[in-house]
Amino acid sequence: EDQVTQSPEALRLQEGESSSLNCSYTVSGLRGLFWYRQDPGKGPEFLFTLYSAGEEKEKERLKATLTKKESFLHITAPKPEDSATYLCAVQARNNDMRFGAGTRLTVKP
Amino acid sequence: DGGITQSPKYLFRKEGQNVTLSCEQNLNHDAMYWYRQDPGQGLRLIYYSQIVNDFQKGDIAEGYSVSREKKESFPLTVTSAQKNPTAFYLCASIRDRLNTEAFFGQGTRLTVV
């Protein structure tokens, strides 16, 4: 069965303290791995899609990487406005899209 | 502007009533999805549709029904058979094949009173 596991569940950082969020997955035929940011009471905001192992994408302070078993979202020198829940999802060969439970990030000034 | 629109934003329902949540997209996306999110939890897949007039059950389809009569629209009906319907419901769409970008609506918060 397809599974997506994110760790840690929650992460507290000081402003400027870089770190990484992990997304481990098992899926039958990966079509794409997605990263989203979600603020309370809002719909998830699309960040990245990664398609194959070795691929990397960057956007401002965020960088996503992908291997055959996991993806990392690296946050460099985070700011308080980066505080949110970060969600990872995988799209399988049958086109269903499954999410992890998310990592709740808090960045303190 | 292209986007995905869910309505209403807030919905109250009496026990025993069916209610339909709207999801419309003008992005020309092929696949559409419905998720349920409970407080402090991740998204669970209810139904998804890859093309018009076709849809598949997700992990928690019991008590829900969908239709896909038009490419732009994928309404979700929460029936009286759904035992615990109070939740935040999210709709997403994906442009498939060449460009797999997936976007979400802003959600509908359903409360059963």
Side-chain angles (χ1 to χ4, degrees), chain B residues 10-89:
Chain B
Y10 298 97
L11 188 57
F12 294 88
R13 186 195 94 174
K14 291 184 179 179
E15 278 193 39
Q17 287 182 337
N18 292 356
V19 64
T20 298
L21 283 59
S22 170
C23 179
E24 304 277 333
Q25 53 97 0
N26 60 3
L27 300 164
N28 198 33
H29 283 182
D30 300 301
M32 297 185 74
Y33 301 77
W34 273 106
Y35 293 89
R36 169 183 173 135
Q37 188 173 35
D38 293 286
Q41 299 190 29
L43 280 66
R44 291 186 288 166
L45 182 63
I46 305 173
Y47 270 98
Y48 66 105
S49 168
Q50 300 177 58
I51 55 172
V52 173
N53 292 323
D54 185 52
F55 46 83
Q56 287 78 40
K57 292 182 179 180
D59 296 326
I60 57 166
E62 186 175 347
Y64 299 98
S65 65
V66 293
S67 63
R68 187 88 187 274
E69 297 177 1
K70 299 185 298 183
K71 189 175 185 178
E72 302 79 22
S73 179
F74 190 41
L76 173 74
T77 297
V78 184
T79 75
S80 56
Q82 169 49 235
K83 296 192 187 321
N84 188 17
T86 295
F88 189 44
Y89 290 88

Side-chain angles (χ1 to χ4, degrees), chain A residues 4-79:
Chain A
V4 182
T5 304
Q6 290 188 248
S7 62
E9 280 187 28
L11 182 62
R12 296 169 71 91
L13 300 173
Q14 286 296 127
E15 185 171 1
E17 179 187 1
S18 301
S19 188
S20 296
L21 282 54
N22 177 265
C23 173
S24 298
Y25 65 91
T26 54
V27 65
S28 52
L30 180 70
R31 295 197 63 195
L33 184 142
F34 303 87
W35 281 100
Y36 292 89
R37 169 196 171 120
Q38 187 177 28
D39 293 300
K42 302 277 183 71
E45 174 190 341
F46 173 78
L47 294 174
F48 305 108
T49 309
L50 301 168
Y51 297 98
S52 57
E55 189 175 0
E56 299 183 353
K57 287 194 176 172
E58 287 189 66
K59 180 180 178 179
E60 296 179 359
R61 296 179 290 282
L62 301 176
K63 179 180 176 181
T65 62
L66 181 65
T67 72
K68 287 187 178 179
K69 293 183 180 180
E70 58 191 349
S71 176
F72 291 94
L73 184 66
H74 307 278
I75 303 178
T76 302
K79 298 182 178 181

